[in-house]
Amino acid sequence: MSFREQQKYIEALKKFERNFDRKETEEFKMFLKRYKDDEDFDTLSMKRLKELYDKCNKPVDKSKYDSFFKKKDE
């Protein structure tokens, strides 16, 4: 995995750090230490980082906003 992906996930997860439980907090601190040391994550660490990211970062349902932006009838 690339360093850019690591950076993207780490930066995004910093916003959600206060919502983690104890185990997730410890893992995230370990990821931060490895990131600061410019160490590439192995496949297991990267998989766990992605799982943590997917758990916290839920995509917005944009269909809720369709009523605000109605298309003109042609």
Side-chain angles (χ1 to χ4, degrees):
M1 295 298 151
S2 70
F3 187 75
R4 277 200 165 161
E5 288 179 4
Q6 286 178 213
Q7 183 179 11
K8 179 183 102 173
Y9 292 135
I10 294 286
E11 294 298 321
L13 285 172
K14 283 182 182 179
K15 300 174 190 172
F16 302 106
E17 187 174 3
R18 66 182 177 276
N19 300 333
F20 293 158
D21 63 9
R22 185 175 181 182
K23 180 183 174 192
E24 292 169 342
T25 304
E26 291 174 5
E27 285 182 338
F28 186 66
K29 286 182 182 178
M30 179 204 54
F31 291 141
L32 280 176
K33 285 180 186 176
R34 291 177 67 185
Y35 173 72
K36 288 179 182 176
D37 291 339
D38 292 330
E39 186 177 327
D40 287 336
F41 291 180
D42 57 350
T43 55
L44 293 175
S45 297
M46 196 63 185
K47 180 182 174 189
R48 180 64 186 138
L49 186 65
K50 284 183 184 180
E51 289 172 359
L52 203 57
Y53 176 79
D54 291 339
K55 177 187 170 199
C56 295
N57 191 18
K58 297 178 179 72
V60 177
D61 182 20
K62 296 180 182 178
S63 65
K64 294 188 285 185
Y65 304 114
D66 287 344
S67 63
F68 297 114
F69 303 101
K70 293 183 180 178
K71 294 183 180 179
K72 295 181 181 179
D73 293 334
E74 294 181 272

